[in-house]
Amino acid sequence: MTTGQAWWSNYPAGVGREAQPFPFDNLGQLVRGAAERYGDRKAETLVLPNGMEASLTFKEVDRLSDAFAAYLRDGLRLEAGARVAILLPNALAYPVCAFGALKAGCVVVNTNPLYTPRELELQLADSGAEVLVVLDHFGDKVASVVPRTQVKTVVVTGIADFFPLLSRALIRAKLKLSGQIPRLGMPFTRLSTALHQGALYVAKEHLFHRQPPAPTRDSLALLQYTGGTTGTSKGAMLTHGNLLANLEQIAEITRIYLTHGEETVLTVLPMYHVIAFTINLLFGFHSGSHSILVPNPRPLQNLRPAFRKHEITWMTAVNTLLKALPDEPWFRPEMTRKMLGAFAGGMQTHPAVLERWETFTGCLVIEGFGLSEASPLVTYNAAVREGGRLRRTMAQVGGVGLPLPGTDVRIVDDEGRAVGPGEHGEIVVRGPQVMRGYWNQPGESAQTLRDGWLHTGDVGRLDADGYLEVTDRKKDMIIVSGFNVFPNEVEACIALHPDVADVAVVGVPDEGTGEAVRAFVVLRKELTVDEIRAHCRRLLAGYKVPTSFDFLAEIPKNAVGKALRRELRAPSAAQG
C-alpha cells in the first residue's frame, strides 16, 4: 500500500488510489477469461501491406495457445520455468505462442528480429532458452546461431499462417518466388505440426480429467532484455504478478474512458517491445480490444490498409511515429475520427510533435513514464472523456504525469535521501509492478533494487501536485525511434576492428529518429567511414549503427580512464 501522496488528489473522479485486483492467478487465466467474456469477437487481425488480412477470435487464441502449451509441456517435456524465445514481428503466431508458453509455466524471452546473428546468440545463450519460435524469413540467421546455444527445438511459422487456405498459398508462393524465405538448414518443427500435436495432448487431458499444473503470481513469466541502469543488456525478470499488477493499474486509470469489448487498437510497435507486450497484447485481452497488427511499419505506407479498413480508437506510439505520420500524403484526419488517444512511450514526445499531432488528428497524446524493470508503466497523464474525446485533467504538457495507483515515486539525492518538490534527483519507484531482479545478475540486481526501491538511473523532479517531469535519462543510453541503444555495446563492436585504437559513442539529436548514434574513433591506421560502417553493419542491428563518425587523436577521459561522454556531446567535439 502506498502512503498519503500529493498526486492522489489529482486523480480524475472515478480513479482509485489502489487498483482493483483481477480474479486471476496467472496470465493464462486472463486469456481464458477473455475467451469466456468476448468469445467469437475478433482479438487479433493481421493486416498486410497489400491489404490482405486474417483474424483470430478470443476463443481461437485461447484454444490454440492451450494446444501450444500442451506441446511444450507434454510433447517437449519442458519443466516449469524453461525459457521459450520468440523471434517474431507482429504476427498472429505471436499471441498464440506467447500465451501458450505462459500457460505451460514457461518463461517468454522476447527477442528482436532486427538482431544480428551475434546479438541473437548472446541473448539466447544468456537466457538459456530451450525453444526458439521464429518466422521463416529469419531462417538463415537462426541456422548459424542455434548450434552454439542451448536451444533444442526450433518452431517455424510463416506470416501467412492462420490465413484462409487459398490466401495462405498465394502469400507463400509470392514470398518464395521473391527469395524472402531462405532455406533453414537445420531440423525444425512447423508451428502447425506443433499445434496439431498439442491439440491431441489437450484432448487426452480432457479425456482423463487431468488438470495440468498452473503458474502462480510469483512464477516468472517474462525475460525482457534491457540495458538497465548500466548499459549492459540484461534480462529483467517479470513475474505473472508483476504484469498482472501493471494491467490492474492501467485498467484503473482507463476505465473512466475505455469501453471494454468495443475498442480497436492499432499495434504498430512490435509486441516484443515491452510497451506493446503489456498494453497492446495483455491489456488488449483484458479490455476485449480488437488489435490490428502491422508486421512492419517501414515504409509508413504499410499502415495505410490498417487505417483505411479499420476504425482505430487507440494506439501505442513513439515520438518518431507521431512526427512522421502527419507527413504521409495518404494519412488524413478523418482516419482518426474515432481515435480517443495515442499512448506514447519509449522516449519523450517533443512538444512540437505533440501539438502538431493533436491539431492534425484531434486525438490526445497520453504520455507516461516507464521502463522494462517496471512492467513497464510507472506514471501517466490523467485524462477524462468529454463529448467522445479525451482531454487532459492537468495543465502540464510535456511531462509524464502522475504515479499510477498503488505506485510510489520519489526523487532522491546522491545519498538516497528524498528531496523536496521541484528539486532534481534520481527517480526511484516502488510498486507491485517492479521486477524481481535481473536474470543471473545478482550484483546488478542489488545495485538497482535497494531497500525496496527501483533506482531508475533517470533524473527528474516532482512538483507539489505529484506531477513528474523527467529532465534527463539514464546517463548514456541512446533512444533511436523508441529502441534502446547501449553505447557500451556499440563501442565493443567498433573496437573489434583491428584498425581501431579507441572509441566512444554518444547520442545526438535527430529530427527523424529522436536521437542518432555518433561514434568518436581513434585509429591505428587509415580507415574510411564506409569501411567502419560496413564493419558495424555486420555486427549490429541497423538502428544501432552510428549515423556519423568523427576521427579524433584522443578520446577525452576522466582520472580513472572513463570516456567523458558529456564533453563529446558538445558541438565543438567533432572538430577534434
Side-chain angles (χ1 to χ4, degrees), residues 136-148:
D136 51 15
H137 285 58
F138 312 125
D140 52 348
K141 181 188 299 186
V142 168
S144 66
V145 166
V146 166
R148 297 190 295 273

Side-chain angles (χ1 to χ4, degrees), residues 344-345 367-371 374 376-381 400-401 404 409 427 429 456 458 468 470:
E367 289 190 277
F369 168 69
L371 61 167
L377 202 59
V378 172
T379 70
Y380 78 110
N381 271 301
V400 292
L404 293 177
V409 174
I427 303 168
V429 177
T456 69
D458 292 307
L468 180 67
V470 180

Side-chain angles (χ1 to χ4, degrees), residues 1-19 380 394 402-408 464-467:
M1 297 284 289
T2 57
T3 55
Q5 301 293 0
W7 53 80
W8 285 350
S9 61
N10 291 303
Y11 284 168
V15 174
R17 297 176 178 182
E18 298 287 336
Y380 78 110
M394 301 184 73
L402 306 170
L404 293 177
T407 302
D408 274 337
D465 293 321
Y467 194 89

Side-chain angles (χ1 to χ4, degrees), residues 271-300:
M271 288 185 285
Y272 58 78
H273 194 297
V274 69
I275 294 174
F277 183 84
T278 296
I279 297 180
N280 294 64
L281 179 62
L282 300 184
F283 185 72
F285 263 70
H286 166 69
S287 63
S289 298
H290 179 198
S291 183
I292 309 303
L293 306 179
V294 178
N296 183 5
R298 295 185 178 88
L300 286 177

Side-chain angles (χ1 to χ4, degrees), residues 190 286 381 396 416 566:
R190 282 280 173 196
H286 166 69
N381 271 301
Q396 292 94 332
R566 187 179 299 275

